[in-house]
Amino acid sequence: MEWVVGVGVLLGLLALGMGVASIRTGWTLPWAWGRVQRPRVYGAGALLVGTSCVTQGLFYFGILPVPSWEFRFFSMNALMLSG
């Protein structure tokens, strides 16, 4: 099970990097060039999704203190869906 969470954290870190690059330079993935009209908004969405993925991994591995499951469920879904 740890490798599944680790892959999620890795994808979250990639989304964070992509979001920072999109906000700072306007860069998007090559296959999304035609569809992305506002790269800064695209980057903000990537930051929210990446934060959600990385935070869930930090909770799972015990790096952050674990709040109740209700708080984790609703807050992480709110971050993911808002992204």
Side-chain angles (χ1 to χ4, degrees), residues 1 9 12 19 25 31 45-46 54-55 65 78:
M1 185 66 180
V9 170
T25 65
W31 53 84
V54 170
T55 306

Side-chain angles (χ1 to χ4, degrees), residues 2-83:
E2 287 83 15
W3 69 272
V4 174
V5 178
V7 169
V9 170
L10 178 66
L11 291 174
L13 290 173
L14 288 173
L16 286 173
M18 183 179 62
V20 169
S22 181
I23 288 174
R24 300 250 324 155
T25 65
W27 178 83
T28 60
L29 294 169
W31 53 84
W33 284 344
R35 292 178 287 192
V36 175
Q37 301 295 322
R38 295 179 185 94
R40 292 182 193 263
V41 176
Y42 175 77
L47 285 176
L48 289 170
V49 171
T51 301
S52 173
C53 292
V54 170
T55 306
Q56 289 178 26
L58 294 177
F59 286 150
Y60 180 80
F61 289 120
I63 297 171
L64 292 177
V66 179
S68 67
W69 73 269
E70 295 95 351
F71 178 77
R72 283 185 294 164
F73 177 76
F74 289 118
S75 63
M76 294 303 117
N77 281 337
L79 276 176
M80 187 77 71
L81 292 174
S82 66

